[in-house]
Amino acid sequence: MVRSKPLRGGRPQAPSAPTRRQLQQLATTSDFVQTSSDVESSTRKDALDRRLALTTEGKAAQLGGAPVGGGRIRSSKDVQRPASTQPGWVRREKASTRAVPFNLSRSSLPITHWRHPLTDAAANARLQAYEQEIKGRFDRIVPLLQQVSALQHETDFIPQAQRLCRAELGFDLPDHILQRAWVRPLDMRALFAWCVFESHRLFSDRFFQDDPLDAGTGSAASREFEQFLLDCGIHLLDLTPCADGRLAHTVAYALRIPFSAVRRRSHAGAMFDVENTVNRWVKTEHRRYREGSPNPSTEPTRYLKVVTYHFSSLDPSHQGCAAHGSNDELAAAAGHQRLLDFRESVENSFCCGASVDLLLIGLDTDTDAIRVHPPSRDSEMVLDRWLCARELHAATVSMSADQAMAQIAEAVESSAPGPMDAGMVSFLTRLLANNFSQIDYVQDLHGGTYPDAGHAERFIGVGIGFKEVHLRNLTYFAHLDTVEEGAPDLDVGVKIFKGLNVSRDLPIPVVVRFDYSGRVPGARERAIADCQRVNQAIADRYAALVDEGLLHTCLTIRDRNQTAPAEVVGSTLDPQLPEAH
């Protein structure tokens, strides 16, 4: 048992798991005794040897100035790099003295159309079938309603409309709306919102009942990945992508991680709430201490916090992250600074910040290729240096699977600003290899880049939950407890849907979700009350849209401790009950 480093005031701290620095000191003491001058000399020699192996020219974009922020952020200009021979996996180019834009994404690489030996073709086929099934139902809504609209003056209008809807979408239209068609024009806006809500209900039911992604709790894929994380020295993976719908598939598709093995919270611009994340870290460590789950607190594993920002390789000035003004440099720097704030908060509060590791990942929303900023052993990352999955894919496509994995691992290690943990090397190597499957997925399905470069979400998800959403451009997330605190995220979503739907005279469908724990007495009732509270706040904030029938809501709750699907507890489309006298 090792005691944590005391505070500056000298007050001793409670015992905790040994930190990485303490483990290194113990190992050093047990193996040999070395003077401080020897350590300094050895450390400097290791650093020089490392830098001799690093790639310099043609590998990373150059900033006009150092990135914003403090802490461990530094620019590549601060590092004196001697000229060296580039490793074989890097494209050999002549050095350029012109500054390269920060949003360099290797989009100039030719699309090979060769399937990579590491690509999982069976998984690609399964994921493609699932995506086409779910999105296909949403895409059939407008054509179906156009047929229904043409029938509204027929004598058998209602039976015909219901038969069409059941055949095309698998559910009935609301009878109380159809019944009014003879009095006034059919409310097509309400029918559109109803179809979106019912389509969401059906795919949510299937997700929790059938586990179509084969990644639910207790699945073989989930157990295998959780053990892999522990082998890498990671006891929990906490990932925050941007709320943009083009990143909703980050876990299951882009990174190919079983969704039940990762904690996902989406926020606009990937700007997660530091205090809430610290609270979740506390709960995780408390469970390790009390229950030994997923492993005992005495084991030297780490809580890995990941931020995924995004950029566009085809239209970087317009299709980047809206929360950061399509500024790739700002998106990466802001995400990195938020990571540093989280780690500093843990250090200041609990004096064991070494048990928190940080990672920054970028995602190209046009190709789904990721770029990782490999961290050193102390989670130091350089913002204007990264490893591009698409470049690695092109460089290793002609190799065998084993050779490609070895080259990826070598590239990861040589790209970090300092020595890396072996576990982090293994973790990043697997993420990059997984992403090769997604790169080939987009190439096979769309010829290299998505046809919908911008937003094409089907509905807005508001509240806490939506574990079932893992498809690109299906949902815009507004993760919030109250509309007041989550107004920036929600306003961005409404602005997006004004362009997607309101411009076509279609309403904005909003699904409100609050997950609860069925183990806590009264939790279900409180979740329903939260839905109603948020629903009223939305109606007040966007009253003009609501009054014109251009915004509808559906209220849902779900017990997070069960595999049961979400439960609908209310909607603006419910029939209005007559007032009692």
Side-chain angles (χ1 to χ4, degrees):
M1 185 73 71
V2 179
R3 292 187 177 272
S4 298
K5 182 179 178 181
L7 294 171
R8 294 179 180 177
R11 180 168 59 85
Q13 302 299 297
S16 68
T19 66
R20 181 183 289 115
R21 186 177 295 124
Q22 290 167 343
L23 287 173
Q24 291 169 350
Q25 291 173 350
L26 288 174
T28 302
T29 304
S30 61
D31 292 342
F32 57 89
V33 178
Q34 192 174 26
T35 65
S36 59
S37 61
D38 292 337
V39 173
E40 181 178 354
S41 174
S42 174
T43 302
R44 179 170 178 79
K45 182 178 183 301
D46 290 343
L48 291 174
D49 291 341
R50 170 72 58 178
R51 290 177 183 178
L52 285 174
L54 288 175
T55 301
T56 57
E57 305 299 336
K59 183 170 183 282
Q62 303 294 320
L63 283 171
V68 250
R72 300 179 179 85
I73 304 178
R74 60 188 176 92
S75 167
S76 59
K77 290 185 176 180
D78 298 327
V79 184
Q80 298 299 321
R81 299 177 184 148
S84 60
T85 304
Q86 293 181 333
W89 59 270
V90 179
R91 291 183 297 121
R92 303 181 185 276
E93 297 176 344
K94 294 183 179 180
S96 173
T97 57
R98 180 176 60 85
V100 183
F102 185 88
N103 57 16
L104 177 66
S105 62
R106 313 297 182 187
S107 60
S108 59
L109 286 174
I111 298 175
T112 62
H113 296 291
W114 296 343
R115 179 169 291 172
H116 198 281
L118 293 174
T119 292
D120 189 338
N124 279 6
R126 185 178 68 252
L127 292 174
Q128 178 182 344
Y130 178 69
E131 179 180 10
Q132 291 177 339
E133 173 196 349
I134 303 304
K135 285 188 174 181
R137 179 179 283 112
F138 284 92
D139 294 341
R140 292 195 299 272
I141 290 175
V142 169
L144 179 276
L145 292 181
Q146 288 172 341
Q147 296 182 59
V148 170
S149 177
L151 297 172
Q152 59 184 301
H153 298 298
E154 300 289 335
T155 55
D156 59 345
F157 161 61
I158 294 180
Q160 285 196 60
Q162 298 292 27
R163 280 196 300 270
L164 276 173
C165 193
R166 280 193 293 268
E168 287 294 315
L169 303 180
F171 52 80
D172 285 341
L173 294 171
D175 192 69
H176 65 278
I177 295 178
L178 299 181
Q179 291 285 1
R180 294 198 293 264
W182 72 274
V183 179
R184 56 185 176 182
L186 193 59
D187 190 348
M188 301 307 300
R189 292 174 178 174
L191 290 181
F192 175 83
W194 173 274
C195 289
V196 171
F197 295 150
E198 285 295 288
S199 296
H200 164 260
R201 180 185 62 81
L202 287 181
F203 96 76
S204 178
D205 290 353
R206 180 170 180 239
F207 179 87
F208 291 109
Q209 293 170 352
D210 300 338
D211 189 19
L213 296 179
D214 295 330
T217 303
S219 64
S222 177
R223 292 196 305 270
E224 185 274 332
F225 190 79
E226 287 168 352
Q227 184 57 54
F228 168 74
L229 287 178
L230 290 175
D231 293 341
C232 292
I234 301 167
H235 58 254
L236 192 135
L237 176 59
D238 183 346
L239 187 144
T240 295
C242 180
D244 190 310
R246 293 171 295 176
L247 276 76
H249 68 317
T250 298
V251 172
Y253 281 73
L255 301 180
R256 301 295 172 97
I257 296 175
F259 64 84
S260 60
V262 59
R263 176 180 289 167
R264 179 188 65 165
R265 301 277 184 172
S266 301
H267 291 273
M271 294 290 95
F272 63 89
D273 185 286
V274 174
E275 287 79 6
N276 286 343
T277 306
V278 171
N279 290 336
R280 288 195 292 272
W281 175 84
V282 170
K283 291 179 182 178
T284 299
E285 300 308 314
H286 181 265
R287 189 178 181 191
R288 294 180 67 221
Y289 180 77
R290 297 288 296 178
E291 304 176 18
S293 177
N295 65 341
S297 60
T298 52
E299 294 186 7
T301 54
R302 302 293 180 264
Y303 182 110
L304 178 59
K305 179 62 186 177
V306 183
V307 158
T308 303
Y309 66 95
H310 64 101
F311 59 96
S312 168
S313 58
L314 298 182
D315 191 4
S317 300
H318 302 94
Q319 298 298 345
C321 183
H324 298 295
S326 290
N327 185 325
D328 299 348
E329 176 182 357
L330 181 59
H336 191 191
Q337 188 59 52
R338 192 58 59 98
L339 288 172
L340 295 177
D341 292 344
F342 166 61
R343 183 172 185 175
E344 183 178 352
S345 299
V346 174
E347 290 175 343
N348 292 343
S349 303
F350 301 96
C351 286
C352 50
S355 64
V356 176
D357 278 354
L358 311 176
L359 179 62
L360 189 65
I361 298 176
L363 176 66
D364 179 4
T365 55
D366 296 317
T367 65
D368 274 351
I370 64 171
R371 61 187 185 195
V372 299
H373 301 255
S376 63
R377 188 168 292 150
D378 62 351
S379 288
E380 181 182 5
M381 290 171 276
V382 180
L383 289 184
D384 57 351
R385 288 172 54 203
W386 57 77
L387 195 59
C388 175
R390 193 170 173 208
E391 180 180 356
L392 277 172
H393 179 284
T396 59
V397 69
S398 60
M399 300 179 180
S400 68
D402 290 340
Q403 290 173 332
M405 289 295 287
Q407 288 285 18
I408 298 170
E410 178 185 342
V412 168
E413 280 200 274
S414 65
S415 300
M420 295 181 65
D421 274 339
M424 181 59 73
V425 174
S426 298
F427 178 72
L428 292 184
T429 299
R430 176 158 177 171
L431 285 193
L432 288 163
N434 288 354
N435 188 238
F436 288 179
S437 292
Q438 186 63 14
I439 291 174
D440 283 346
Y441 179 90
V442 179
Q443 287 185 0
D444 293 342
L445 203 58
H446 303 291
T449 59
Y450 282 106
D452 52 346
H455 293 277
E457 293 93 335
R458 276 64 170 182
F459 65 92
I460 298 177
V462 174
I464 299 174
F466 296 101
K467 191 174 184 179
E468 68 270 29
V469 176
H470 291 282
L471 291 174
R472 180 184 184 272
N473 255 344
L474 181 66
T475 311
Y476 174 88
F477 290 106
H479 181 84
L480 53 83
D481 288 306
T482 67
V483 169
E484 290 76 14
E485 68 177 358
D489 287 12
L490 189 53
D491 286 346
V492 171
V494 170
K495 180 181 179 181
I496 289 170
F497 272 82
K498 282 183 178 179
L500 291 175
N501 286 17
V502 176
S503 63
R504 298 188 294 150
D505 211 27
L506 293 174
I508 302 173
V510 178
V511 178
V512 180
R513 165 71 60 78
F514 277 92
D515 288 358
Y516 66 94
S517 173
R519 300 168 184 170
V520 179
R524 182 179 182 277
E525 290 71 23
R526 286 188 289 273
I528 294 175
D530 287 339
C531 284
Q532 295 170 343
R533 170 178 51 80
V534 167
N535 183 55
Q536 184 59 52
I538 290 174
D540 294 341
R541 187 173 185 86
Y542 308 105
L545 291 171
V546 173
D547 292 343
E548 294 183 41
L550 287 171
L551 191 151
H552 284 286
T553 56
C554 178
L555 315 183
T556 63
I557 60 172
R558 181 178 173 273
D559 185 351
R560 68 170 65 95
N561 301 129
Q562 304 293 330
T563 57
E567 174 188 358
V568 177
V569 295
S571 171
T572 55
L573 299 171
D574 289 340
Q576 300 297 317
L577 298 177
E579 294 184 3
H581 292 286

